[in-house]
Amino acid sequence: MRTLRLILGDQLNAGHSWFTNQNEDVLYLMAEMRQETDYARHHIQKVMAFFQSMRTFAAKLEEAGHRVRYYRISDSDNPQDLIRILQNSLKEAGASRLEYQLPDEVRLDQQLKQFASETDVEVAAVDSEHFYTSRYELTEFFKGKKQLVMESFYRMMRKKHAILMQGGQPEGGQWNFDKQNRKKWKGNPAIPDPLVFNKDLSSLEEEIRGSGAEFMGNVDATAFPWPTSREESLEVLDYFCDFLLPHFGDYQDAMHDEESFLFHSRLSFSLNSKMISPKEVVDRVEKVFREGEGQVHISQAEGFIRQILGWREYMRGIYWREMPGYAEKNSLQNHNALPEFYWTGKTKMKCLKSSIDQSLSKAYAHHIQRLMVTGNFALLIQAHPDEVDAWYLGVYIDAIEWVEITNTRGMSQFADGGLLATKPYISSANYIGKMSNYCGKCPYDPKKRTGESACPFNSLYWNFLDAKREHLSGNPRMGMMYRLLDKINPEEMQKVRLRAQEIIERPDDF
Ligand code: FAD
Ligand code: SF4
C-alpha cells in the first residue's frame, strides 16, 4: 500500500519519527501555494524564508533517501490549492493512504478534516512532535478556572519538565526574575552584530513575485539574512548563547532606534517553522547557565526560558482552547481603521516610525516594540482587532496564526476582555520614554498632553480611559488610573478629547 505524507511549510521538523526509516512505499508531499501566500498580505521576507526553508528541507530528505514530490510556486502544474494538490498527488502516486501531521492552525486543520471526511483514501493524523504540550493540555490544566494566569501554567511546566529546578524548588529561590529585566539600554554593554547569512535568493524572490500574489515590506534578496535550514538555525542558537544570553533578561524590554535586535535571539522563525525544537533551545540555555561558570545569571536564563516554556506553550494552549471564536472577539468594541503609515512608515512619531520602518525592512520587531509601540497605538486609536491582526499576521517573519492572534488580539488589543491579560497594555509617552531613546529624537514633547507639540500618545491615553470607562473602570488593576483620570479638570479633559479625536480621525497627519 502506498502512502502519501503531507509536510506543511511550518512542519520542517527533521527529528520527526516519520523520517527514522526510508520506505519506498512512502512519498512525502510538500507544496508552495497561492493558498498560503494569499490568506494575508505577507512580508516578502516571510514568504521567501518559508519557501527557501521548505526547499532546503526537501533536498535534505531526498539526500537521506526519502522520496519527495515538491510543488514550486512557479510550476505550471501547481494547482495552488491544498485540496487539489492532495487529490492530484494521491492519484499520481497511486496512493491509498494519506498521513498528515496535526496542523497548528484551525484554518488548515478544518480543511484537512473536511478532506478526510470526503475522500475514499484512508487518512490518519499524527502529532507534529514539536511542542512540550499537546493541543489541549492547557485546557485541562485550567479546567474550571476563570482566569488563565500564565505564571501558574509556567510553574507547572517548570516542575513537570524539571527545568531550572533545584531539589523541588525553583533555581535561584524564586520562579520569576521579571522585575530585574527592565533596564534601558544606553549604549552599554556593546551589542554584537546580529548573525546574518547574506544568501543570494534573487531568483527565489523573482519566482515568488512572479506568482502574482501581493506582498508588503522590502528585501535585499542578494543578502538574505534569515536562517533557512536547521544548520543555520543551530548557528543562531549558538550565537545567542555565546554572545547575547548573558544580557538577554536585563534588556529584554529596552528599545533603541539604532539597534533593532538588542540582545534578542531572533529564533522565532526557526522555532515556528520547527527547524529547531523548543526543547533543544531550553535545554541548551539551561546547560549554558549550569556549566557557564557564572557567566549567565539565573535572571537571564530564567527570563529567556520563560518566553519559550511559558509564553510560547501558553499561547498555543489558549489558541486551541479558544478558537475559532477567538478570531471574532472585540470586547472593547473598537472599529477604527489602522493608519496608512503602518504600511509605509510615514509618520513623525519617532517611536512608531522606528518600529514600523524596522518591521518593513527587516520583517522583525521585538516583543516590546510590538506590544508597547505599534500595538499600544493601535489600541489607543481604537482600531478594529481584525485590522490589527491582519497587519501582524502579514508583517513579521514569525507570524503564524496560533501565536500571532493570541498575542495580538489577546495580549495586545485586550479584545478577549481580559482572558489572557489582566489589564490592557496601554501607556502614554512615559513608558516609551523610560524604555527607549525614541522621545529624545521626536518632534513631539513627551511631557505635554495637549497643544500642537504634545505627544499624541498622551491625549490618546487619557481619552481611551475616558471612552472605555464602562468596560474598564471596574477592573481592580485600573483603579489608580481612573482615580488619576478623575482628577483632570473638565476644561483640560475637553482639550484632551478634542486633541485625541483629531489624531483618531487623521492619524496619518501626525
Ligand atoms: P526573543 O525575545 O529572543 O524570545 C525568545 C523566544 O521566545 C521567541 O523566539 C519566541 O519563540 C518566544 N516568545 C517570546 N515572547 C513570546 C510570546 N509573547 N508569545 C509566544 N512566544 C514568545 N511571536 C511569534 O512567534 N509570532 C507572532 O506572530 C507573534 N506576534 C506577536 C504580536 C504581538 C502584538 C506581540 C506583542 C507579540 C508577538 N509575538 C509573536 C511574540 C514575540 O514578540 C516574538 O516571539 C519575538 O519578538 C520574536 O523575536 P525573538 O525570536 O528575537 O524573541
Ligand atoms: Fe513616541 Fe511620543 Fe515619545 Fe514621540 S514623544 S517618541 S510620539 S512616545
Side-chain angles (χ1 to χ4, degrees):
M1 183 173 73
R2 296 203 124 183
T3 300
L4 189 72
R5 284 180 173 168
L6 172 68
I7 302 170
L8 294 168
D10 66 344
Q11 295 179 335
L12 310 181
N13 175 5
H16 195 281
S17 53
W18 266 2
F19 310 122
T20 314
N21 302 309
Q22 294 88 346
N23 184 339
E24 268 300 298
D25 287 330
V26 170
L27 179 68
Y28 290 99
L29 169 66
M30 299 180 73
E32 302 166 5
M33 49 190 154
R34 284 292 296 273
Q35 167 182 317
E36 295 306 296
T37 56
D38 292 12
Y39 70 83
R41 191 170 149 210
H42 299 283
H43 199 297
I44 181 70
Q45 290 186 35
K46 178 183 173 188
V47 179
M48 287 173 69
F50 270 104
F51 287 4
Q52 184 61 25
S53 304
M54 289 166 68
R55 290 179 185 193
T56 315
F57 189 83
K60 286 268 176 200
L61 282 186
E62 282 180 328
E63 248 174 59
H66 299 287
R67 296 173 60 237
V68 182
R69 170 68 164 110
Y70 193 97
Y71 283 91
R72 290 185 170 221
I73 191 82
S74 55
D75 287 343
S76 56
D77 64 345
N78 184 341
Q80 307 287 353
D81 160 82
L82 179 59
I83 299 308
R84 287 179 48 217
I85 287 173
L86 284 174
Q87 285 163 340
N88 288 3
S89 309
L90 284 163
K91 199 161 148 203
E92 211 175 73
S96 50
R97 182 176 165 86
L98 169 71
E99 292 178 5
Y100 67 87
Q101 296 180 20
L102 286 172
D104 291 318
E105 278 171 274
V106 165
R107 182 177 63 85
L108 290 159
D109 198 52
Q110 288 174 340
Q111 207 180 5
L112 285 165
K113 278 190 182 137
Q114 174 82 17
F115 179 72
S117 71
E118 290 166 359
T119 180
D120 295 335
V121 302
E122 232 179 77
V123 181
V126 301
D127 197 88
S128 64
E129 302 174 13
H130 171 79
F131 292 97
Y132 279 96
T133 47
S134 64
R135 274 185 182 176
Y136 297 102
E137 190 167 337
L138 174 140
T139 306
E140 281 301 309
F141 178 72
F142 284 118
K143 213 172 200 166
K145 302 253 164 56
K146 263 203 194 138
Q147 273 235 310
L148 315 179
V149 183
M150 199 298 277
E151 185 66 22
S152 58
F153 172 79
Y154 169 57
R155 291 182 189 185
M156 175 278 285
M157 293 290 283
R158 289 266 299 272
K159 283 187 241 167
K160 178 171 173 185
H161 297 280
I163 291 162
L164 292 182
M165 298 297 292
Q166 192 67 265
Q169 294 303 311
E171 187 73 53
Q174 66 196 68
W175 290 102
N176 186 317
F177 290 80
D178 205 20
K179 287 212 173 78
Q180 292 176 29
N181 295 350
R182 290 174 191 162
K183 287 193 186 144
K184 181 172 179 165
W185 186 75
K186 296 177 183 165
N188 256 319
I191 300 167
D193 288 338
L195 176 65
V196 291
F197 294 94
N198 292 333
K199 287 164 285 193
D200 187 350
L201 298 185
S202 314
S203 66
L204 176 67
E205 184 195 4
E206 221 171 284
E207 238 182 285
I208 292 174
R209 292 210 190 266
S211 71
E214 284 188 16
F215 302 100
M216 68 156 106
N218 35 59
V219 63
D220 175 1
T222 62
F224 194 75
W226 292 101
T228 53
S229 66
R230 174 163 168 77
E231 289 69 27
E232 288 174 354
S233 300
L234 289 171
E235 277 183 59
V236 176
L237 176 59
D238 284 346
Y239 191 84
F240 172 70
C241 290
D242 291 346
F243 302 111
L244 305 168
L245 177 61
H247 301 293
F248 174 84
D250 287 347
Y251 300 102
Q252 201 175 333
D253 290 1
M255 298 178 280
H256 196 276
D257 70 327
E258 284 160 22
E259 294 290 345
S260 309
F261 305 114
L262 290 118
F263 296 96
H264 292 275
S265 68
R266 296 167 65 250
L267 278 167
S268 51
F269 174 70
S270 298
L271 278 163
N272 294 355
S273 59
K274 304 189 179 61
M275 292 190 291
I276 51 174
S277 78
K279 182 166 175 3
E280 65 189 323
V281 176
V282 166
D283 286 352
R284 178 69 198 286
V285 168
E286 180 166 14
K287 188 166 187 271
V288 172
F289 161 70
R290 293 200 184 281
E291 296 173 5
E293 293 164 1
Q295 238 201 327
V296 174
H297 189 260
I298 178 67
S299 63
Q300 321 296 337
E302 188 281 322
F304 185 76
I305 285 176
R306 184 173 357 113
Q307 307 309 316
I308 295 183
L309 186 70
W311 283 109
R312 188 168 184 268
E313 297 287 330
Y314 174 80
M315 291 308 196
R316 163 180 164 76
I318 297 275
Y319 181 80
W320 286 105
R321 183 182 189 268
E322 297 298 318
M323 282 295 277
Y326 208 69
E328 307 291 317
K329 299 236 185 257
N330 185 5
S331 79
L332 294 176
Q333 294 296 305
N334 289 332
H335 295 285
N336 293 327
L338 212 55
E340 186 55 30
F341 66 66
Y342 274 70
W343 282 268
T344 62
K346 286 187 186 152
T347 170
K348 297 194 276 291
M349 293 177 270
K350 176 69 181 172
C351 52
L352 282 158
K353 180 158 184 54
S354 246
S355 305
I356 292 171
D357 279 350
Q358 173 197 317
S359 303
L360 296 173
S361 64
K362 300 194 162 86
Y364 180 92
H366 69 68
H367 186 73
I368 294 300
Q369 293 173 305
R370 298 187 203 195
L371 188 66
M372 298 312 294
V373 179
T374 42
N376 184 14
F377 190 79
L379 182 54
L380 292 179
I381 61 162
Q382 301 165 44
H384 196 296
D386 286 356
E387 293 247 331
V388 190
D389 260 335
W391 187 77
Y392 279 98
L393 190 56
V395 72
Y396 292 118
I397 193 82
D398 50 37
I400 303 185
E401 192 190 61
W402 67 268
V403 57
E404 175 281 321
I405 199 168
T406 41
N407 271 293
T408 303
R409 202 169 274 257
M411 180 183 275
S412 160
Q413 299 300 296
F414 205 73
D416 62 9
L419 182 81
L420 197 151
T422 49
K423 71 179 175 72
Y425 281 95
I426 46 168
S427 83
S428 60
N430 194 22
Y431 176 84
I432 295 173
K434 206 160 72 188
M435 296 312 299
S436 76
N437 70 338
Y438 295 145
C439 300
K441 297 185 176 181
C442 184
Y444 293 107
D445 186 341
K447 299 264 178 271
K448 283 194 181 158
R449 197 150 56 188
T450 54
E452 285 278 292
S453 64
C455 167
F457 280 82
N458 293 342
S459 53
L460 285 172
Y461 177 80
W462 296 107
N463 177 71
F464 178 86
L465 290 180
D466 184 43
K468 301 297 172 190
R469 192 183 281 272
E470 84 178 274
H471 298 282
L472 300 174
S473 62
N475 181 330
R477 294 202 60 204
M478 302 292 288
M480 193 178 83
M481 294 333 288
Y482 275 97
R483 282 194 292 282
L484 290 174
L485 175 71
D486 292 338
K487 283 189 187 148
I488 301 177
N489 74 51
E491 256 171 59
E492 168 76 357
M493 197 58 216
Q494 194 49 23
K495 282 192 208 155
V496 165
R497 286 193 197 101
L498 286 174
R499 167 95 174 147
Q501 210 44 46
E502 228 184 305
I503 301 163
I504 288 171
E505 278 167 16
R506 298 183 287 102
D508 287 295
D509 291 349
F510 288 82

